[in-house]
Amino acid sequence: MNGRWWSTPVWEAPGWKALDRGTFRGATAMVACMTVTVLQAHGTPLRIVIGALGVLAALGMLLGRRTLPSVLGALGATIAMGSGLAISLLVPTGLGSFPVLAGVSVLPLRLPAGPVRTTAVAVMSAAFGIAIMVVTGSLAGLLAAVGAWLLADRSVEHTALQAERDRAVALLAEVEASRQALQEAAAVEERSRIAREMHDVLAHSLAGLSVQLQAVRAIAGREGAPASLTGPIDRAADLARDGVQEARAAVGALRHAPLRGVDDLKGLVGGFPGDARLRVTGRPCPLGPEAGHAVYRAVQEALTNAARYATGSVIEVDVAWSERELLVDVRDHGLPAGRGPSGVKGSGTGLRSMAERIEAVGGTLSAGPVPGGAGWRIEMRVPVAGAGGGAGPAGKMGS
């Protein structure tokens, strides 16, 4: 397996993005505005021309919104604005300004920051202002250029804020995982301290008591003490020996870190800083504690990586129980349209670490792009007890 699976994710490759709510709302508004504009046009030939320009504007906006920052995205936004300007000049009473303003809000996001972006926005804003001035016959129409410029600036600021928010979500996911690790380390240290005290005080005391009782029993036997005396001494000695064994077992248990299991996934998903959802189906079956802990850690790593590379996407965690295995599926829907990765990079060993954990408990892990859709998917299969799974207490989650 490729240990650098998360370092070159599929979402970073240029290409089309899934149709999101924002794109759907924009397309609906575009269709409505173009329909009104066509109805405002006089004569069938003009209506056909306006309809064709409206379709061209819609396709341009679709190209501009659904691709990552690129020349094609800038070209799409420019086509939408040019079509809108032509519509505004041909049908002054229509709504040709809508595709212009929509394009102005997208164009800066498809161009690199600097003189190229500034010049492109200035030219398109000036063209819009001049078109409105010609349509209205008033110099006041030039104010439209100012409005277009401000809209472009607002779009850039909003995108920058969204990028910072995405980065914050990814960092929060990292911090939460680190905080949990620190808490567990602190708990292990405290349990070790208690174990040492139990060993030094309780176990030693019980061992000393057992030795003393054995000595008393030997003396009582040698002196011919009656059974009414030796009987209680024997029972006390047995209790002391049992106490020593139980104390040693308790000390051994305290020295081992507590393992998280499938039950803890609800808290893990609920505390995730992004939009994560958990769904559990099937009837829970016995699952070894090591297997439950491996599943928990793998899901935690998958959530953290999704926060890095698909920030803003809904992350779905599906837990499906069957008689023979536990199937856990973690998937996202890729980066939302117009968004980029958070910029928070991992170690590049996420997949390898998850796979090793799952394989160590007899399971399998597969990862890759979602077939026929957008996003990335992690699938874990772990056998349950009685089907080749690990023995031990059941790790269950209610459905």
Side-chain angles (χ1 to χ4, degrees), residues 14-109:
W16 293 94
K17 292 296 173 187
L19 186 67
D20 61 357
R21 293 180 180 178
T23 303
F24 179 77
R25 288 194 297 265
T28 302
M30 180 73 76
V31 170
C33 290
M34 292 303 98
T35 301
V36 171
T37 304
V38 168
L39 295 176
Q40 290 290 321
H42 298 291
T44 301
L46 183 57
R47 288 182 176 178
I48 294 176
V49 172
I50 297 303
L53 289 172
V55 171
L56 189 61
L59 291 177
M61 282 305 301
L62 189 62
L63 181 65
R65 284 187 59 87
R66 297 189 69 200
T67 56
L68 292 173
S70 63
V71 175
L72 285 178
L75 178 61
T78 303
I79 290 174
M81 289 184 288
S83 301
L85 289 173
I87 292 171
S88 298
L89 293 173
L90 292 173
V91 185
T93 58
L95 299 175
S97 58
F98 180 82
V100 177
L101 295 176
V104 166
S105 68
V106 172
L107 180 61
L109 309 180

Side-chain angles (χ1 to χ4, degrees), residues 131-146:
I132 298 300
M133 181 187 69
V134 171
V135 169
T136 61
S138 171
L139 291 176
L142 291 175
L143 292 175
V146 178

Side-chain angles (χ1 to χ4, degrees), residues 12-341:
E12 291 187 2
W16 293 94
K17 292 296 173 187
L19 186 67
D20 61 357
R21 293 180 180 178
T23 303
F24 179 77
R25 288 194 297 265
T28 302
M30 180 73 76
V31 170
C33 290
M34 292 303 98
T35 301
V36 171
T37 304
V38 168
L39 295 176
Q40 290 290 321
H42 298 291
T44 301
L46 183 57
R47 288 182 176 178
I48 294 176
V49 172
I50 297 303
L53 289 172
V55 171
L56 189 61
L59 291 177
M61 282 305 301
L62 189 62
L63 181 65
R65 284 187 59 87
R66 297 189 69 200
T67 56
L68 292 173
S70 63
V71 175
L72 285 178
L75 178 61
T78 303
I79 290 174
M81 289 184 288
S83 301
L85 289 173
I87 292 171
S88 298
L89 293 173
L90 292 173
V91 185
T93 58
L95 299 175
S97 58
F98 180 82
V100 177
L101 295 176
V104 166
S105 68
V106 172
L107 180 61
L109 309 180
R110 302 296 175 258
L111 294 173
V116 174
R117 174 191 289 180
T118 303
T119 301
V121 172
V123 169
M124 296 309 302
S125 299
F128 180 56
I130 292 172
I132 298 300
M133 181 187 69
V134 171
V135 169
T136 61
S138 171
L139 291 176
L142 291 175
L143 292 175
V146 178
W149 186 283
L150 293 176
L151 179 62
D153 282 346
R154 178 68 181 87
S155 179
V156 171
E157 291 175 359
H158 173 74
T159 302
L161 288 174
Q162 185 65 64
E164 288 302 317
R165 178 185 177 277
D166 290 347
R167 180 175 175 80
V169 169
L171 289 174
L172 280 174
E174 299 273 0
V175 169
E176 179 61 24
S178 299
R179 183 188 66 83
Q180 189 177 107
L182 288 174
Q183 285 183 337
E184 292 177 358
V188 170
E189 183 178 354
E190 179 64 14
R191 290 163 66 94
S192 297
R193 184 188 66 80
I194 295 174
R196 288 193 299 270
E197 291 186 358
M198 286 184 61
H199 181 272
D200 293 341
V201 178
L202 184 58
H204 285 180
S205 298
L206 288 174
L209 177 60
S210 178
V211 171
Q212 292 296 325
L213 287 172
Q214 290 174 14
V216 171
R217 178 65 178 82
I219 295 173
R222 187 170 59 250
E223 296 293 333
S228 58
L229 177 60
T230 58
I233 294 176
D234 289 337
R235 287 193 294 272
D238 291 339
L239 288 174
R241 283 193 297 270
D242 292 341
V244 170
Q245 297 300 322
E246 292 175 358
R248 288 174 177 171
V251 168
L254 281 172
R255 292 187 185 278
H256 292 86
L259 299 179
R260 296 184 179 272
V262 181
D263 277 336
D264 298 306
L265 290 179
K266 184 176 182 180
L268 176 65
V269 175
F272 184 70
D275 188 357
R277 302 169 186 176
L278 174 66
R279 182 177 62 178
V280 182
T281 57
R283 185 176 181 179
C285 299
L287 187 69
E290 293 81 6
H293 187 71
V295 169
Y296 178 90
R297 290 303 186 201
V299 171
Q300 184 182 47
E301 180 69 18
L303 288 172
T304 303
N305 280 294
R308 293 188 188 116
Y309 300 107
T311 317
S313 170
V314 175
I315 304 171
E316 299 173 354
V317 181
D318 290 327
V319 178
W321 293 93
S322 68
E323 294 181 356
R324 299 190 58 82
E325 68 179 7
L326 168 65
L327 172 62
V328 181
D329 187 274
V330 183
R331 67 155 295 179
D332 60 72
H333 298 273
L335 285 169
R339 303 267 282 275

